[in-house]
Amino acid sequence: QVHLVESGGGVVQPGGSLRLSCAASGFSVTNHGMHWVRQAPGKGLEWLAVLWYDGTTKYYADSVQGRFSISRDNSENTLFLQMTSLRADDTAVYYCARERGTPGWLDPWGQGTLVTVSS
Amino acid sequence: SYVLTQPPSVSVAPGKTATITCGGANIGSKSVHWYQQKPGQAPVLVIYSDSDRPSGIPDRFSGFNSENTATLTISRVEAGDEADYYCQVWASRTDQYVFGSGTKVTVL
């Protein structure tokens, strides 16, 4: 059964860093594009980043370009999002998701992990 | 950047049909995907590649895409369909994925 579990969220001060993890099971992250998407409280979905199946092609949203970095550990079958220079408006639930039909659709999604940027 | 425009809300009576639009420049040339998100839950794919349904999604959900508007239609609406719905495309010119602003469907 395909399953994604995010972890690593928490409270961080403005200007700080945090690394999110997304553990995948039931499939290999080396065979699929993998995404990070976030949702600020009461707001819509915002796409952040993708790492395609080749392991080298990465794309980012303008809002996080240069601050966030997506990567994966093939041996652990885990996706990461390294976040730096965090700001209050980065406060959100962060989801990882598997891609199909690259470039295509996201299915399934993890349950999300909450990141709060506050002093 | 590529923008997808959705109506903020749609209200529909049980048993009737809900139509959710997703507007974008020449969106008919792109592949559109739709997600359902209920409160406190992660999004779930309901339509991919304009009009295909994943397994487990009722055939009451259908999609269409042409020219500058993509549409998600929910027929015979049920109380359990009450949720936020988002469209999504791949914007090849900017190498970015884009979500619509979302539409809240309320079942009266």
Side-chain angles (χ1 to χ4, degrees), chain B residues 52-83:
Chain B
D52 291 332
R53 272 179 295 105
S55 60
I57 300 300
D59 61 6
R60 300 184 297 103
F61 289 81
S62 62
F64 183 74
N65 184 21
S66 179
E67 297 186 349
N68 295 307
T69 304
T71 302
L72 173 68
T73 301
I74 311 173
S75 304
R76 305 181 300 282
V77 166
E78 302 175 355
D81 298 331
E82 192 162 277

Side-chain angles (χ1 to χ4, degrees), chain A residues 35 37 39 43-47 50 52 59-62 95 99 102-107 109-111, chain B residues 1 33 35 37 40-45 48-49 54 84 86 88 90 94-101:
Chain A
H35 293 251
V37 177
Q39 186 169 36
K43 302 298 183 181
L45 301 175
E46 179 186 14
W47 175 78
V50 62
W52 278 2
Y59 298 121
Y60 296 92
D62 293 346
Y95 297 100
E99 179 175 18
T102 298
W105 57 96
L106 282 59
D107 178 55
W109 298 54
Q111 86 289 347
Chain B
S1 61
H33 321 294
Y35 305 88
Q37 186 182 32
Q41 298 183 19
V44 172
L45 180 74
Y48 66 97
S49 297
D84 294 325
Y86 297 89
Q88 175 250 314
W90 157 251
T94 55
D95 288 333
Q96 294 178 332
Y97 295 73
V98 180
F99 285 98
S101 46

